[in-house]
Amino acid sequence: METDLEAVWGVPLTAARCLRCGAAHLLPGGAIPPLCPACLQGTVEPQPAYLRDEPPEQVLPYRLSERQLAGALDEWARGVWFRPAELKGSVLAARLRRVLLPLWLVDGLVEGTWRADVGFDYQVVSSQDAYRDGSGWSSQEVRETRVRWEPRAGRIHRRYENLAVPALDGHRALMARLGDFDLGQRAAYTPEAVQGGAVRIPDREPEAAWPDAQASFVRAAQEDCRQAAGAEHIRDFALQAEYRERQWTQMLLPTYVTWYCEGEQAWPVLINGQSGRISGTRRASPRQAGVLALLLGGLALLLLLPGGLLALAGAVFPPLAVLGGLLLIVGAVLALLAPLPVIGVWVHNRRR
Amino acid sequence: MDEGQGQEVWAPPEGFVPLPSRVAGIELYAPAPKGGPPEQTRSFKCPFCGGITAYSAEQRQLTCAHCGRAQELTAEVVGRAAEQFEFTLEAMEHARYGWGEQRRELACESCGAVVAVAPDVLTSTCAFCGSHRVLARDAVGDALRPTALIPFGVDAERCQAQLRDWLGRGWMHPPELRSVRALHEMIGIYLPFWTFDTHVHARWRAEVGTERTEFYFEGGERKTRTVIDWQWRSGGVAIPVRDHLVPGTARVSRRLLEKIGPFDLGALVEYAPAFLAGWQAKTCDVSLPQAWETAKEEIRERARRACRADTGSVHVRNFQMTADFADERWRYVLLPAYLVSYRFAERIFQVIVNGQTGKVAGQKPVSWLRVWLAIAALLAPGLLISLLGLLLSVFGFGVVLIGAGFVVLIAGLGGAGVVFFQARAAEQV
């Protein structure tokens, strides 16, 4: 049955899906954006969404406003030769859109047994001695930290809450671009938190996200077992456990999306709404580079032609040969330099 | 993860014991520490007659002094693979400050008497009932206790014979030594030693000279001379050091201890109190850091000689080198020796016998009268021949004898020098 979004989320939202990438969003009111907030390539169309009958439990609030980001975007866009006309802080800031990314939070009770090698740091004393004729020996003490590994085993009966589990298929790639979020700043969900922004709908339901959730439980248990042993390191951790009383809720992460056009394509820029980290491709404009190359080539041609004629005239009046030679040299240098902007831009864009 | 594993049926792995956990909801088990409870003593009594037993060097087992029955010892021969330790900060601190000067009280299990012993004593014999008690092992994991030992392989009787033989040997010692009597019975004692392993990576740099013969003209004459071409060179030497032995006691002359060596460390067995039953044993009075400093000085000198040799020339100047010690490990072992002393001409002389091989070394008085007579005998032929030559030279044919006498005198002087320094060295042991 289709979810009554306004009743659940507390604000009027429209579910829509991108016809190109398939990403589903909840959009504020009836405002359908021209481009998909996820891929910025395809168009989105309203489609019914089958969602959980409860809103997200927690939201990570935006710490940076659109105005605060304008300066950072301007700084980020600088330093590119032949930068596209739209790669400007003002353009990027004007197109900023809030997009909230989903993250599953899972609670559960871990009951079972574990076994691991735990490592304790210890220091050993070594020596570096030096000898010199006339001075004799001098000795220097050197300390080196080593790890002593010892086996440990035991039982575990611990409850874990709010372990973060990816809700999107491309979660890890997104996080690599956006950087870490400080989940300690999270707050309870309020309808105001999603006003004016798009909310990405999870690609994966909890059942599909369970392998990742289980890995999160194992990581948390491993860390606790390390602390229980009073060790600095742990390895070869093996956990045989049951995971009871599982409970899934959702959290929303604050991000901004903006874009600039270069050629026929829109290039997305992602911003972490908490830390302000900007991630995107700063492309150079091949068109601008091409114009400069043509100008240089044309100028070279203009110099080479009279230079050649003057050089020929030098057979009749030798001083003209000198002038013609100079023009030919300058023209040749310009002709050699002409393709460099195009090559430079190609290399720059290829590297990115 | 497999689900459905019932925690009720789970039992900790074999040999694991519970440990306190720092996190609620997590139980912790670890392998039980090796060794027994700290400061345990063991008394040795015959299981058949209740008599006192002691380790017999002759039979290599525990024997009862009363009924003569023997008990097999099953300690593992670990040899050079005996447990070694790293130079951890903890061990070095512990070694530096030791166990303090407090005395320990060991209670005799046979008669209940309590005897105070010095902290460096590992064994004790009850003054009331004569039973032997041995400190089994100190606190669990305390590496600063011996971990291996070489059992006595030569009994006191054989040592006595070898001692008498040794005392009667050598012309430069008084003949009365053959009949001298020891001040007391031979004391079989396990002496503490430190062994060190390390790898030394030495790098050297020096100006190395190469000899070259060149021709030159002087006063129109072609001559040759040797010149040295100096060149900066560098190189490296890797020196593996295995079982570098340093005595753990300063109460016995190191020179004597070196003279009774080498010990065959391949015969090391794991420390077992039974080997000490009926014998004396001392803990070290030279601490680990002190012993390591001594070992390091010896090892780096060895490295310096190796680097010097690596230069490949006798002409070396501005020599400098570094020696990096790596993988340093140490071991604390007990090695067997017999100590005995005797009085001669109102002086006391110390003798030590290797308890594994029976090799004897010690102090022996030197009869300087014999030494001077020997020197005189060595010099006399040369002097007499020269004198005869002088006399005959009056008749005009003594020159040859004077020359021969001079040669014999030089040879005699050389021999006399050797005898003199041998006597000095024998006296200074």
Side-chain angles (χ1 to χ4, degrees), chain A residues 178-195:
Chain A
L178 291 165
D180 292 334
F181 287 90
D182 179 7
L183 300 185
Q185 303 290 321
R186 61 196 169 204
Y189 172 80
T190 58
E192 292 75 32
V194 297
Q195 268 182 344

Side-chain angles (χ1 to χ4, degrees), chain A residues 83-310:
Chain A
R83 66 172 168 167
E86 290 199 349
L87 186 52
K88 286 180 186 166
S90 55
V91 175
L92 294 171
R95 289 173 179 168
L96 276 173
R97 293 201 58 185
R98 292 186 175 209
V99 178
L100 290 148
L101 300 178
L103 188 70
W104 290 120
L105 295 177
V106 61
D107 304 342
L109 178 69
V110 179
E111 279 186 315
T113 61
W114 63 276
R115 192 160 186 163
D117 284 345
V118 293
F120 299 92
D121 284 344
Y122 67 97
Q123 283 195 306
V124 292
V125 184
S126 187
S127 292
Q128 280 181 346
D129 291 17
Y131 175 86
R132 187 182 283 270
D133 271 350
S135 309
W137 285 99
S138 61
S139 188
Q140 189 186 359
E141 188 180 285
V142 181
R143 289 185 183 187
E144 185 186 327
T145 301
R146 293 182 186 167
V147 181
R148 184 181 66 250
W149 292 100
E150 293 178 8
R152 293 285 185 273
R155 279 187 288 208
I156 183 167
H157 179 94
R158 273 184 75 76
R159 181 167 183 77
Y160 293 96
E161 293 184 346
N162 295 326
L163 296 181
V165 180
L168 298 175
D169 290 333
H171 176 86
R172 286 188 179 83
L174 275 170
M175 291 304 115
R177 293 181 64 184
L178 291 165
D180 292 334
F181 287 90
D182 179 7
L183 300 185
Q185 303 290 321
R186 61 196 169 204
Y189 172 80
T190 58
E192 292 75 32
V194 297
Q195 268 182 344
V199 179
R200 181 84 182 265
I201 295 172
D203 295 335
R204 305 192 298 173
E205 285 302 301
E207 292 74 24
W210 171 243
D212 281 334
Q214 194 182 29
S216 293
F217 277 116
V218 172
R219 274 197 301 275
Q222 175 174 316
E223 175 58 17
D224 279 352
C225 290
R226 181 191 69 75
Q227 287 184 18
E232 284 82 25
H233 312 274
I234 188 164
R235 70 181 183 191
D236 297 337
F237 181 78
L239 179 68
Q240 298 285 321
E242 286 184 25
Y243 303 89
R244 303 177 197 275
E245 301 167 22
R246 293 182 224 165
Q247 193 181 349
W248 295 80
T249 53
Q250 206 185 118
M251 187 169 81
L252 299 176
L253 304 175
T255 67
Y256 287 99
V257 176
T258 183
W259 75 94
Y260 66 92
C261 287
E262 194 282 302
E264 301 296 313
Q265 201 175 335
W267 296 90
V269 178
L270 303 181
I271 301 134
N272 184 319
Q274 193 184 41
S275 67
R277 175 172 163 167
I278 301 170
S279 167
T281 306
R282 291 182 299 172
R283 287 178 63 85
S285 168
R287 184 178 295 174
Q288 289 183 22
V291 169
L292 181 64
L294 278 175
L295 279 173
L296 288 172
L299 192 59
L301 205 62
L302 283 175
L303 292 171
L304 287 171
L305 282 173
L309 289 173
L310 286 171

